[in-house]
Structure formats: structure tokens, C-alpha cells
Amino acid sequence: MQLTLWTYEGPPHMGAMRIAASMRGVHLVLHAPQGDTYADLLFTMIERGDRRPPVTYTTFQARDLGGDTAELVRNAVTSAYERFKPQVLLIGESCTAELIQDQPGSLASGMGVPVPVVPLELTAYSHKENWGAAETLYQLTRALLSDRIPQPGSVKPRDASRPPRANILGPTKLGFRCRDDVVEITRLLAQLGIEVNAVIPLNASADDIRRIPSADFNIDVYPEVSRPTAAWLKRSFAMPHTTTIPMGVAATREFIAEVAGLAGVDAQMVLSREHQGQASLASSQSRLPWYSRSVDSTYLTGKRVFIFGDATHALAAARVARDEFGFTVVGLGTYSREFAREVRAMAASLGLTALITDDYLEVEKAIADATPELVLGTQMERHISKRLGIPCAVISAPIHVQDAPARYSPVFGFEGANVSFDTWVHPLMMGLEEHLLQMFRGDFEFHDDTPAPNPTTVVKVEAPPVAPVAESSTDPISEVQSAPTKDVTPVWTPEGERELQKIPFFVRGKARRNTEHFARERGVALITVETLYDAKAHFGR
């Protein structure tokens, strides 16, 4: 494990907590030291939930390590069942408790608790949060459906007298806009005449998991969490699942076609209605055609964008940025190592090398080197971008409280495409506005105490006499300029700095670095206005 100031993912028991906190009637007993109870705050502070996560901690302390810590597990299990009366008990341990090797899952399984007990093997020193969530959902689903697996070849065809049904798999607490994405996907399915059988795990119960086989197929919208479960359901119950993430207009249309194919329905009416801009109360309309005809699209075409986040949103955002906004993707990466192959393939199609890391310092360096005009990332990239003076929009977990809005704000479906447009374009447009304010902030209109210039007044400014410089002058500036060397560190003159401030702030860092590189290559010690424009002409070729 690596000590760091920030982390993209917590340990795997945080993933287990996300599953338990997302469901009803499910309780997690976590063998963990007293300090690990901090995790409760993430749910109540970031998503502003109205209840604490359903977690009981053993909260052992240092003095307990010399005694029977296993007894703490038994007491916690008994207390949790008697107090909360859950339908299912999950049993796990934090990274610290893993070192003690008390085997809390085995202990709880042998206690005779009258509800299903699901032991979790959360290997904290080799996996992280999203893996923990995926493993917990997978084990929970297997435990509740193991007695319902049909014999090979005994799967019955769908009853044609009822509408097709689908399960939505993957949305959880602390995910990115999961609550609203579920609503948007449900609306899309309703237009196709498809019923939602269950949403797992968000707001689901153990009975909802038991009802999963009643559906005809599964919609896998958060593969980091739901892909192992979707794959197991396909093997065990012959339930196919989707692979398209409906983020962006083109992907949403492909998602509709894929779902219609799995359900055996015709999607043409829904696709043609959206294409013609015929929205209804039960659906949303894409405003992409309007954007394509607007002045904004011309101004923003070719903007350089750096993308980093979980694999699901990073891959989808890269496609939308390139194909629908006309941006130039100059960086693509993820902290989801389990999906590194897919991200590398997308990066290669963009002519890039994917950045696969969970070290925010590596991400910061990559962003600085790429000199983008917009960053699409997590709340970590927002902090990084603020330091670098680059606009940023959050597209992925981990999130901050401001990324869990009270308003309806999906990122999937046609309405999600509209939300993405606002979220991505506004930082660029506000960046232009801020630049204009900076350019003209010295003008008299911005200062009441500055007299307006009189257009009829002509002020004659005489240049001061220039003293001749002897050939043997020992002026340090002259000496440096007359003896160029690449080892010098260039220094900006006040005039050069003022001219640099006239460059828009979202590309100012790139201009500064290019000019300093230009100056070093030519041994120029003092960067003047002329040096700045010489560098601009050089790199603009």
C-alpha cells in the first residue's frame, strides 16, 4: 500500500460498505479498528444521506490484540442481528484486521444466525474499492441465487404475453450521478416498452436480488461494480447483458438499438423521434443539432482536452469529446487497473499512450506536460487543474459534495448528453470571459477614480537621452546577452510578464513553458516581449 495525501479509491471494505449502504435490509459487520469508522462520514457528508451506513464495527483497540479478538466478532454479529434484524448479513474485515487473521466470515457462518450470512474475502493489500464493491455484489448475488440456478438446457423462452423485462445492474452510493442515471435509463426503456424488473444494488433488497432471474436480460451500466455479477448471471441463468454505456448521443442511440435487440422489440420509432427532435414528457431530447449549428461549436472545435477517471466514464467521455464536441483528446487515463486493456485500446485509437495509475502526482505531471485547455476528471483533477490554472469538469468518482447535486443531473441518455454539454462547455466559455476581464481590468471603465482619456488631447512623450555604451561596458545584462549559453535559467522582464498576462489563462502555462524552452535553447537569459513573440512564431509553425 502507498501512503498518499489523496487517493482515487479506498480499500476494498469501502466498496463493501457502498453495496450495503445502497441496499435495504442488508447489514455489514466489519472487523476493523476504532479509527476505520471514519468511512461513515463519506456517505452522510458527500451524498448527504439521511441515514448512516448499515455497518457494525468490532472497533478493536491496541489493548485488545493481546486477548481474544475473535470474541469481538461474535459479539458484533449477535448485536447487529438483534438490533437491526437484517435480511442478510455481510461479514468482512478492514486491511488492518486482515493482518490478525481472525477469519470473521467463518466465525459468523458457524453461529447459527437465522438469516443468510455472506462472508467476504476482501484482499486489501492487492485490491481496492471498486473491486471490493464488485466482489461484494457478486458474492451476495451468488449466495441468494445459488439454489435457483436452472439445470443446463432447462431455461424456458420468454412468455410472449408479457412485456420484456430488464434488470439495471451497478448503480451504488458514492457513484457518479447513479441516482439520476437510473431514472434516465428507465425512461429510455419505457419508450421501448421494456419493464424494469429490479435495480441492483441501489435501493434494492434481498428479495429484489432473488427476483433477478425473472428478467430477460441485464443492463450493465457500471462495469467496475457489476461486470462480474453480469457475467455470472449470463453463465448460470443464460441472461445476456448489454455492453454499451449510454453516455453521449451516439452511444445512447447504440444503447437503444442494443437493448431493443436483446428484448426483441423495434427501436426505430424511438430513434427517429429523437432524431427529429420530438421530445415528450417521458423522454428527453438531445440538443446536439443546435450545438452543431452554433457559434460555440466553431469556437470550441479542436480544443485540447485531458481525460482521467474510472474506466467507464473515461472511455465514454473520450468518445464524446472526439466525435460529438470536436475536441482534440491529448491525454487519456484511468485508475481502474482492471480495465487497463480497454483504456489502452481507446488511447491507441487516439494516437496516445494511456495513463494507468492511481498516483495523483503522475496525473498532475501528465496534465502539465500535455498543456490541455480543459480537463475532464475526478475531484482530484479539479484540485490539480485549479493549481495549474486550467478549466475542469468532473465526470467520474471520486466526487465531492458539489458533484452530488439535488437537481436532476444525469450523464447517461439524451438528457445526460445535454448535461455534459453544459458541464464541459461552460468552463471553456467562462475561461474566455475571465480572460477578457483580465485583459481590460486596467481600463478606466473598471475604476471610478481613473479619469477617462480625452480623445482630443495629444500627449507628446519625448524619449530620454540614451547614453552611449562603451565597448568595455561591464553591464551584467549586456554581458549575459552577448554570451549566450544553454545553461542559463531565463528570467522574465517586467514587460515580458505583462505581455504574458494578456494570453488567456487557460493556455498561459503552455505559453510560459514554450517561451522558457525557446529561450534556454538559444541561451537567452532575459525574456522580453520580443522573445515571447519569437517563441510564439517558432512553435506556431
Side-chain angles (χ1 to χ4, degrees), residues 186-200:
T186 302
R187 289 177 175 177
L188 290 175
L189 296 179
Q191 294 179 68
L192 294 168
I194 301 172
E195 295 179 351
V196 174
N197 180 63
V199 177
I200 308 294

Side-chain angles (χ1 to χ4, degrees), residues 249-302:
V249 174
T252 298
R253 293 177 65 85
E254 291 175 11
F255 172 80
I256 291 173
E258 182 183 21
V259 168
L262 293 176
V265 299
D266 186 7
Q268 190 56 41
M269 182 177 296
V270 175
L271 293 174
S272 60
R273 185 167 59 231
E274 188 280 329
H275 182 69
Q276 296 168 7
Q278 298 173 355
S280 66
L281 293 177
S283 66
S284 300
Q285 174 188 338
S286 164
R287 292 179 175 83
L288 182 64
W290 164 82
Y291 167 70
S292 300
R293 295 189 297 268
S294 71
V295 175
D296 288 347
S297 67
T298 303
Y299 166 70
L300 298 175
T301 298

Side-chain angles (χ1 to χ4, degrees), residues 32-370:
Q34 191 171 20
D36 280 355
T37 57
Y38 75 91
D40 282 15
L41 297 176
L42 297 177
F43 296 90
T44 55
M45 292 181 63
I46 293 180
E47 285 206 326
R48 294 170 287 195
D50 57 357
R51 64 187 181 101
R52 296 186 64 143
V55 181
T56 295
Y57 300 89
T58 58
T59 57
F60 60 84
Q61 301 179 50
R63 64 172 177 266
D64 298 318
L65 298 180
D68 187 4
T69 52
E71 187 61 27
L72 293 176
V73 175
R74 298 186 186 94
N75 292 338
V77 170
T78 301
S79 174
Y81 175 73
E82 292 178 350
R83 180 180 178 185
F84 299 105
K85 295 295 189 294
Q87 299 174 9
V88 181
L89 271 175
L90 303 175
I91 311 296
E93 55 191 341
S94 72
C95 48
T96 308
E98 186 179 339
L99 299 174
I100 304 175
Q101 299 184 351
D102 278 333
Q103 303 295 321
S106 299
L107 290 172
S109 297
M111 290 178 59
V113 180
V115 294
V117 174
V118 181
L120 305 173
E121 295 293 333
L122 303 174
T123 51
Y125 293 93
S126 57
H127 293 96
K128 293 195 173 182
E129 180 180 329
N130 279 337
W131 181 91
E135 180 69 9
T136 301
L137 181 60
Y138 170 67
Q139 295 294 347
L140 177 59
T141 303
R142 285 195 59 170
L144 296 178
L145 292 179
S146 58
D147 60 346
R148 304 189 181 199
I149 299 176
Q151 294 297 321
S154 63
V155 178
K156 298 180 180 179
R158 179 175 69 85
D159 182 0
S161 64
R162 64 165 175 82
R165 297 174 187 157
N167 301 309
I168 300 176
L169 304 181
T172 67
K173 295 284 188 181
L174 293 183
F176 188 72
R177 307 288 173 82
C178 292
R179 176 200 66 191
D180 298 340
D181 284 342
V182 167
V183 175
E184 190 66 18
I185 291 174
T186 302
R187 289 177 175 177
L188 290 175
L189 296 179
Q191 294 179 68
L192 294 168
I194 301 172
E195 295 179 351
V196 174
N197 180 63
V199 177
I200 308 294
L202 190 63
N203 298 322
S205 65
D207 290 338
D208 290 324
I209 291 182
R210 293 189 180 98
R211 289 193 299 108
I212 285 178
S214 300
D216 304 303
F217 61 96
N218 295 310
I219 296 175
D220 181 17
V221 290
Y222 298 101
E224 284 88 348
V225 174
S226 50
R227 183 57 54 84
T229 300
W232 180 77
L233 291 170
K234 183 178 181 179
R235 293 193 306 269
S236 303
F237 292 87
M239 298 181 70
H241 62 81
T242 61
T243 57
T244 304
I245 304 300
M247 183 172 167
V249 174
T252 298
R253 293 177 65 85
E254 291 175 11
F255 172 80
I256 291 173
E258 182 183 21
V259 168
L262 293 176
V265 299
D266 186 7
Q268 190 56 41
M269 182 177 296
V270 175
L271 293 174
S272 60
R273 185 167 59 231
E274 188 280 329
H275 182 69
Q276 296 168 7
Q278 298 173 355
S280 66
L281 293 177
S283 66
S284 300
Q285 174 188 338
S286 164
R287 292 179 175 83
L288 182 64
W290 164 82
Y291 167 70
S292 300
R293 295 189 297 268
S294 71
V295 175
D296 288 347
S297 67
T298 303
Y299 166 70
L300 298 175
T301 298
K303 289 294 183 181
R304 297 164 56 84
V305 59
F306 189 102
I307 302 171
F308 191 90
D310 65 40
T312 296
H313 292 91
L315 289 170
R319 179 182 175 183
V320 173
R322 177 191 64 189
D323 298 342
E324 299 182 19
F325 284 79
F327 292 163
T328 300
V329 180
V330 296
L332 176 63
T334 183
Y335 58 82
S336 303
R337 295 182 181 274
E338 295 83 358
F339 293 84
R341 180 179 300 176
E342 292 87 338
V343 176
R344 287 193 177 103
M346 171 60 82
S349 71
L350 296 166
L352 303 171
T353 299
L355 177 63
I356 312 297
T357 183
D358 56 5
D359 186 344
Y360 71 93
L361 294 176
E362 288 186 33
V363 179
E364 181 169 5
K365 182 179 184 304
I367 292 175
D369 291 343

Side-chain angles (χ1 to χ4, degrees), residues 4-16:
T4 181
L5 295 175
W6 292 341
T7 178
Y8 288 96
E9 295 183 89
H13 72 262
M14 272 300 305

Side-chain angles (χ1 to χ4, degrees), residues 318-442:
R319 179 182 175 183
V320 173
R322 177 191 64 189
D323 298 342
E324 299 182 19
F325 284 79
F327 292 163
T328 300
V329 180
V330 296
L332 176 63
T334 183
Y335 58 82
S336 303
R337 295 182 181 274
E338 295 83 358
F339 293 84
R341 180 179 300 176
E342 292 87 338
V343 176
R344 287 193 177 103
M346 171 60 82
S349 71
L350 296 166
L352 303 171
T353 299
L355 177 63
I356 312 297
T357 183
D358 56 5
D359 186 344
Y360 71 93
L361 294 176
E362 288 186 33
V363 179
E364 181 169 5
K365 182 179 184 304
I367 292 175
D369 291 343
T371 61
E373 295 162 279
L374 175 67
V375 173
L376 303 176
T378 72
Q379 68 144 338
M380 316 266 263
E381 282 65 52
R382 177 165 49 210
H383 291 301
I384 290 170
S385 300
K386 187 175 182 180
R387 287 201 301 273
L388 297 176
I390 304 171
C392 178
V394 174
I395 61 164
S396 162
I399 60 174
H400 193 264
V401 63
Q402 67 192 83
D403 304 311
R407 68 185 184 280
Y408 182 63
S409 186
V411 293
F412 289 169
F414 295 123
E415 184 60 25
N418 295 332
V419 171
S420 294
F421 170 79
D422 289 340
T423 307
W424 299 8
V425 168
H426 287 174
L428 289 171
M429 301 305 293
M430 297 310 294
L432 174 63
E433 180 177 317
E434 183 172 335
H435 167 59
L436 293 174
L437 289 175
Q438 289 183 8
M439 278 187 65
F440 296 105
R441 64 185 175 186

Side-chain angles (χ1 to χ4, degrees), residues 471-533:
E471 293 184 1
S472 60
S473 172
T474 57
D475 177 61
I477 295 181
S478 300
E479 287 187 353
V480 172
Q481 290 180 333
S482 62
T485 171
K486 294 185 179 183
D487 296 332
V488 301
T489 300
V491 177
W492 289 78
T493 64
E495 294 79 10
E497 277 284 0
R498 283 196 293 270
E499 193 68 18
L500 180 67
Q501 297 305 310
K502 297 178 181 179
I503 297 175
F505 76 95
F506 42 87
V507 292
R508 190 179 302 147
K510 177 181 178 181
R512 179 184 291 275
R513 286 188 293 274
N514 283 349
T515 304
E516 291 174 353
H517 175 75
F518 177 85
R520 278 193 300 271
E521 285 294 311
R522 286 154 181 77
V524 177
L526 285 177
I527 298 178
T528 63
V529 175
E530 289 74 17
T531 311
L532 174 62
Y533 282 99

